[in-house]
Amino acid sequence: IMLSLKEKDRPIVRKLLCAGCCARCVLRFCCVGTSSAYRRSYQDLRKELLAFISEESSPQSLSEEKTDAPPNKRMRIDEDPVTPAQTDSDICPVCLGVLQDFCDPTFTKQVSDAVKKQQYEFDSLVLTVSLPTQMSVREHSCWLHVKKEVREKSMCLGKEDVIQVKDAFKWAVQGKIGQELGAAVVANCPCEVSVGFIHPETEDCHFLYVAVFFFVSQSIFTRMAVVKALEKISEEKFSRHYVCPPKTANTRCTALDTTCLHTSIFIAGRYSKFSRELPQTPWVIDGERRMHGSVEELIAAPLLSSFRADGFNFSSSGREDVDVRTLGNGQPFAVELLNPHRAKFNRNEIKQLQEKINQSSDKIRVRDLQIITREATSRMKEGEEKKTKTYSAFIWTQKAIDSTDLEFLANIKDLRIAQKTPLRVLHRRPLAVRQRLIHSMSTIYLDKHHFTLKLCTQAGTYIKEFVHGDFGRTIPNLCDLMKTDADILELDVESVDVDWPPALPD
């Protein structure tokens, strides 16, 4: 495979090699955008570049493309020869060895082996690369060095035309890494293999600190701040403070441990809760765990082990008290699985996972379990206060009653109540007055002090406080309506009227 270099690239190649740049950095500054060129062995690339500049000036390029003008024979005489000091063992002053030492099969195998040890299962990946910040100033210095050359030859080289170190590195290694792992390398992929490099702090860093402070007026040292500073500083000021081309480096970059990260997977479903001693989330009071287990732990444990995830985040369309059962079709929920090592599950496997959750405890039951997108989780919260919930409450009254005392409740429609934040949740909710609607009520008389109250309410209504009044913090309340003290002994959520997630066939 011949390099796609042209006659006009000859003085640039010579100048960069004289400056000690590595073969792949030479290709970058010659704007060689053919990825296959960077995959060639370093020795072959360097040998061909040396052969290229040693050739007699020819009107034909190595890619057998004619130049626009005949070669300038004087150009070759005026150029300094490539000195013997530029050997394969020298450290590239621009990439600091990244494109010299880390593009061979040995390093790609190290990366692949590191990923394999983490036991991920995937069929595609994306490679990400992080580089030392001081490489930015060396890149800028080298660009100014080359820019001076091309300007003398009445040519033009924009900084955006130069191939970035990250891109050159990816072109050189990502195909080999993909082959080792049996995965396709694509641009947008949930599985990310990260390779990072570090370099000891040098005077480059001190220059960058000063440049960022004076030219961007920013004390926070970030890559973006460095880029802005280099854009603002003039060539004259840059050359005054920093040598062009960059000085030879004394130490090479060091590769950090390879990491692999899979984007989160989201699982949705509905759960029913049959216990009055099971909180939705772990119940911790004053740093002490109260009660054993929770809804989220019972659901998440089988998911974590099956997806081999590092952690999870649990959310639901509502939050019931520990002593409240959730019946009917259940409460919609979503679980975000963090960095799952296994991501591919078919519908039958998800159904088996649902059965595994249901068999793990008789306190809960899950239905409609399915994998969803991140965007779909927002539907669970959309119109949260517009949806309705149906409750069944077991009520005690201080005054003796008969069935006729309850009849008027069925005639009340869309009762608007004002609820100040209940005392029992004031420690975790801001103090506010919330307007809520009791859409309808019906009753079942039990005895002279007890009856069942069924309510259809706006989501977010505090049912217990509506019944007993919470010391007058909910107005009106059931005590006001019935003109007697009343309390709630048991409460069940019978339905959550939201069409999410989609129901699945049994």
Side-chain angles (χ1 to χ4, degrees):
I1 303 173
M2 303 298 289
L3 298 176
S4 55
L5 296 173
K6 303 176 182 178
E7 184 63 31
K8 64 182 178 64
D9 296 319
R10 199 182 303 275
I12 298 176
V13 173
R14 180 181 295 276
K15 199 173 189 72
L16 291 172
L17 288 178
C18 287
C21 295
C22 71
R24 291 189 177 93
C25 279
V26 172
L27 295 183
R28 293 194 306 110
F29 281 93
C30 288
C31 306
V32 176
T34 307
S35 60
S36 58
Y38 297 86
R39 292 196 292 269
R40 295 180 58 182
S41 71
Y42 185 80
Q43 292 74 16
D44 287 349
L45 287 175
R46 183 171 175 80
K47 185 186 298 184
E48 188 163 336
L49 289 175
L50 290 172
F52 176 62
I53 61 172
S54 66
E55 290 176 356
E56 290 296 328
S57 297
S58 167
Q60 195 170 1
S61 69
L62 285 183
S63 61
E64 299 184 357
E65 294 183 13
K66 293 184 178 180
T67 57
D68 296 333
N72 188 343
K73 293 185 179 181
R74 187 177 178 183
M75 182 191 306
R76 188 170 183 270
I77 298 173
D78 293 341
E79 295 286 358
D80 294 331
V82 180
T83 64
Q86 279 82 43
T87 64
D88 291 347
S89 60
D90 288 340
I91 303 170
C92 176
V94 184
C95 72
L96 300 174
V98 170
L99 299 180
Q100 287 174 292
D101 305 330
F102 300 100
C103 295
D104 58 11
T106 302
F107 181 70
T108 57
K109 190 171 190 315
Q110 289 177 6
V111 172
S112 303
D113 289 345
V115 175
K116 289 176 182 177
K117 285 181 181 178
Q118 297 175 55
Q119 297 183 325
Y120 282 87
E121 295 181 24
F122 51 81
D123 50 22
S124 61
L125 63 89
V126 61
L127 181 67
T128 62
V129 184
S130 62
L131 300 171
T133 306
Q134 64 260 43
M135 200 178 287
S136 300
V137 70
R138 290 179 168 270
E139 180 91 356
H140 191 72
S141 171
C142 192
W143 175 67
L144 293 178
H145 182 59
V146 174
K147 186 179 179 182
K148 182 180 179 182
E149 174 71 26
V150 299
R151 192 159 47 200
E152 290 175 356
K153 301 295 187 295
S154 299
M155 297 185 292
C156 180
L157 176 66
K159 195 172 183 180
E160 65 278 359
D161 297 325
V162 177
I163 306 300
Q164 298 299 304
V165 175
K166 285 184 178 181
D167 293 331
F169 177 78
K170 289 179 183 179
W171 288 346
V173 304
Q174 64 184 4
K176 300 171 188 175
I177 294 174
Q179 289 176 1
E180 286 278 349
L181 296 173
V185 181
V186 296
N188 296 313
C189 178
C191 190
E192 178 182 291
V193 175
S194 299
V195 178
F197 298 94
I198 56 172
H199 192 268
E201 185 172 321
T202 62
E203 62 184 32
D204 302 334
C205 291
H206 301 300
F207 172 81
L208 287 174
Y209 288 131
V210 175
V212 168
F213 182 77
F214 282 103
F215 294 99
V216 189
S217 300
Q218 185 171 325
S219 58
I220 301 175
F221 188 66
T222 64
R223 178 172 288 276
M224 186 58 65
V226 170
V227 172
K228 289 182 179 179
L230 293 176
E231 288 175 352
K232 290 190 175 184
I233 189 171
S234 66
E235 292 184 32
E236 180 185 353
K237 288 182 179 178
F238 185 91
S239 301
R240 191 186 308 158
H241 295 282
Y242 195 87
V243 63
C244 295
K247 293 186 294 185
T248 302
N250 295 320
T251 54
R252 285 178 158 81
C253 280
T254 303
L256 297 168
D257 291 339
T258 300
T259 60
C260 191
L261 183 68
H262 198 292
T263 55
S264 297
I265 288 179
F266 293 83
I267 307 293
R270 285 175 173 262
Y271 74 82
S272 298
K273 181 170 83 81
F274 309 117
S275 171
R276 299 193 187 278
E277 297 181 347
L278 183 68
Q280 185 188 70
T281 56
W283 201 3
V284 179
I285 300 177
D286 296 330
E288 183 180 348
R289 177 73 182 259
R290 304 289 178 89
M291 297 191 172
H292 177 70
S294 65
V295 171
E296 73 166 37
E297 288 171 312
L298 290 173
I299 293 175
L303 296 177
L304 284 173
S305 62
S306 297
F307 283 83
R308 305 206 307 275
D310 291 347
F312 72 95
N313 291 316
F314 183 90
S315 60
S316 67
S317 66
R319 183 184 181 91
E320 70 277 349
D321 293 335
V322 61
D323 59 348
V324 176
R325 297 187 303 177
T326 303
L327 308 176
N329 289 336
Q331 182 89 271
F333 72 89
V335 179
E336 178 187 7
L337 296 170
L338 307 175
N339 192 25
H341 288 48
R342 182 188 174 189
K344 297 289 185 181
F345 283 78
N346 59 40
R347 183 169 293 182
N348 286 334
E349 289 173 321
I350 293 295
K351 193 171 183 179
Q352 292 171 5
L353 194 50
Q354 176 176 293
E355 287 304 313
K356 184 177 180 181
I357 295 172
N358 292 337
Q359 291 172 8
S360 66
S361 173
D362 59 359
K363 296 180 180 180
I364 66 166
R365 184 169 182 81
V366 169
R367 59 176 295 162
D368 300 329
L369 196 69
Q370 55 197 279
I371 297 177
I372 61 169
T373 63
R374 178 187 292 272
E375 293 71 26
T377 60
S378 61
R379 291 192 56 194
M380 183 174 66
K381 297 294 184 180
E382 283 178 3
E384 194 167 54
E385 293 187 357
K386 294 181 180 179
K387 67 175 180 280
T388 60
K389 286 187 175 182
T390 303
Y391 296 90
S392 177
F394 182 36
I395 306 297
W396 167 86
T397 61
Q398 184 183 50
K399 182 180 71 175
I401 59 171
D402 58 34
S403 60
T404 59
D405 295 322
L406 305 175
E407 292 175 353
F408 78 99
L409 293 173
N411 298 322
I412 298 176
K413 305 296 182 185
D414 294 328
L415 174 66
R416 186 173 296 276
I417 64 174
Q419 292 196 302
K420 191 177 290 187
T421 305
L423 293 173
R424 62 187 174 89
V425 299
L426 199 53
H427 65 285
R428 56 182 172 87
R429 293 282 177 88
L431 179 62
V433 177
R434 299 170 178 85
Q435 302 293 323
R436 293 291 185 263
L437 283 176
I438 308 294
H439 295 294
S440 63
M441 291 181 281
S442 62
T443 59
I444 300 174
Y445 178 79
L446 299 176
D447 60 45
K448 61 183 180 179
H449 288 287
H450 300 90
F451 68 97
T452 298
L453 174 66
K454 292 186 179 293
L455 311 93
C456 179
T457 75
Q458 179 183 355
T461 303
Y462 292 106
I463 304 301
K464 292 178 180 178
E465 282 67 26
F466 168 68
V467 172
H468 58 62
D470 196 24
F471 302 102
R473 298 170 69 85
T474 292
I475 301 174
N477 53 64
L478 188 63
C479 296
D480 296 335
L481 298 175
M482 296 189 66
K483 296 180 173 51
T484 181
D485 287 342
D487 205 353
I488 187 167
L489 303 181
E490 288 182 350
L491 179 63
D492 294 331
V493 179
E494 292 201 333
S495 70
V496 180
D497 303 320
V498 54
D499 186 21
W500 192 93
L504 300 178
D506 294 333

